[in-house]
Amino acid sequence: MLPRPTTHSKALGPGVAGPELAVATSAVLDRPPQPIAHLPLSGAQPCAVDPAVLGDPRQHTKYPYVTGTSVMAIKYKDGVLVGCDTLGAYGTTKRYKSTQRIYRVNSKCVVAAGGEISDFQYISNLLDELTTEDYRIDDGLELTPQEVHSYLCRVMYNRRNKFDPLWNSLVVGGMQDSQPFLGMVGMVGTHYTDSHVTTGFANQLARPLFRERQQDDMSEEDALQLMYDALKVCYYRDKVSINKFQIAKVTKETGASISEPFALDMRWDYKLFAQPTKWAVGAW
């Protein structure tokens, strides 16, 4: 271990170690240290600045660990609704039960995600940078949902091209020129817009309900009831889901808002729930 100088920095004052005191200098060594990958000349602690020097292969995320399940969204007459549960599952363990998977970008737009929670936090930080830049410019303009959707398409496709994808399926909802907007972005950059979008198990469980009952001119009450029914179906059939939901609403009048977590009234006394394998071939 190299001895460290104990005198103070002449530039910063007594008791403060400046950059020139971070590593041992010629005052305590026969010759000044040479910067290498593990001991930068300007850093107090050794660090690896080049992974290739370590001899380890470069690694990427190959399997998501803490994940969220389905997200679903629909248009209605006055705006859009985006709903999902608040579970962050560690594999199949219901580990984190108060994870917010809906992010409010600005007064016009929200983004919700299924998939890896940490990757969604990274995406939220990217969107934070964009909204901070909007605030700094102070010209009264905000990112529109279509701009956010296009930006996320480029981000996801860029990471896919690096063979280090962000393991998320994203739903973008908001008001575009006073009209409802809904779009979806996949983990490899696939994207589309529609009157109703879903991710995960909701593609099989909730989308049929939306195709049957969703209309662009439906009332907010009907849209909420449809969303509640879709959330119930996904909770009944998806084992990595919980009865704790949030719904985001974006309208021209009230802007974007996210509800507090709530639970729905569930029933488990159906006969098929009591004896699910009755009359099934090979059942006891």
Side-chain angles (χ1 to χ4, degrees):
M1 180 67 71
L2 297 176
R4 292 187 179 276
T6 56
T7 58
H8 67 270
S9 166
K10 290 176 286 188
L12 302 179
V16 180
E20 68 272 21
L21 298 179
V23 296
T25 62
S26 55
V28 294
L29 294 177
D30 294 336
R31 59 181 177 80
Q34 298 300 313
I36 59 175
H38 300 284
L39 185 63
L41 184 60
S42 60
Q45 299 296 328
C47 63
V49 296
D50 184 5
V53 178
L54 301 177
D56 295 331
R58 186 174 182 182
Q59 297 183 357
H60 296 305
T61 302
K62 296 185 286 292
Y63 185 82
Y65 284 91
V66 180
T67 60
T69 185
S70 304
V71 178
M72 55 206 79
I74 56 176
K75 291 181 182 179
Y76 65 100
K77 180 175 63 175
D78 299 321
V80 299
L81 294 178
V82 182
C84 62
D85 65 20
T86 62
L87 178 66
Y90 183 77
T92 56
T93 303
K94 298 181 179 182
R95 178 65 180 84
Y96 306 101
K97 298 181 180 180
S98 298
T99 302
Q100 181 167 311
R101 297 193 288 122
I102 306 177
Y103 171 79
R104 183 183 184 274
V105 180
N106 52 39
S107 64
K108 299 179 182 178
C109 178
V110 296
V111 176
E116 174 63 43
I117 299 298
S118 62
D119 284 350
F120 181 53
Q121 291 171 339
Y122 171 77
I123 293 171
S124 300
N125 291 337
L126 295 181
L127 295 174
D128 271 336
E129 294 177 5
L130 295 181
T131 54
T132 300
E133 182 68 12
D134 273 351
Y135 181 79
R136 185 189 65 81
I137 294 174
D138 195 21
D139 57 359
L141 300 178
E142 291 182 319
L143 288 171
T144 65
Q146 191 171 24
E147 290 172 335
V148 173
H149 183 254
S150 298
Y151 172 75
L152 292 177
C153 290
R154 297 304 94 206
V155 169
M156 304 297 275
Y157 186 64
N158 174 58
R159 290 292 294 264
R160 175 263 184 197
N161 285 342
K162 293 180 178 180
F163 293 91
D164 188 17
L166 298 168
W167 289 70
N168 291 113
S169 296
L170 305 173
V171 171
V172 181
M175 297 299 291
Q176 177 77 32
D177 300 326
S178 301
Q179 296 298 319
F181 174 92
L182 276 181
M184 182 268 180
V185 185
M187 64 176 289
V188 295
T190 54
H191 58 278
Y192 64 89
T193 60
D194 204 345
S195 294
H196 47 81
V197 296
T198 56
T199 72
F201 258 137
N203 281 318
Q204 287 76 39
L205 300 176
R207 206 84 193 269
L209 291 176
F210 293 162
R211 291 192 181 105
E212 180 181 352
R213 296 167 51 185
Q214 187 275 337
Q215 296 178 355
D216 287 352
D217 60 349
M218 66 193 307
S219 66
E220 182 175 332
E221 292 76 16
D222 292 339
L224 273 174
Q225 188 58 51
L226 175 57
M227 181 63 71
Y228 291 156
D229 291 343
L231 291 172
K232 284 184 179 181
V233 168
C234 288
Y235 174 60
Y236 281 138
R237 297 297 183 182
D238 187 355
K239 69 175 182 178
V240 193
S241 179
I242 60 173
N243 187 12
K244 186 178 181 182
F245 307 102
Q246 284 185 292
I247 292 180
K249 179 176 72 173
V250 188
T251 65
K252 180 180 178 181
E253 290 75 17
T254 62
S257 60
I258 303 174
S259 72
E260 292 296 320
F262 62 91
L264 295 173
D265 184 23
M266 302 291 181
R267 288 185 56 192
W268 298 100
D269 56 351
Y270 295 108
K271 292 182 179 179
L272 288 179
F273 285 169
Q275 292 180 307
T277 61
K278 187 176 182 180
W279 312 122
V281 176
W284 291 90

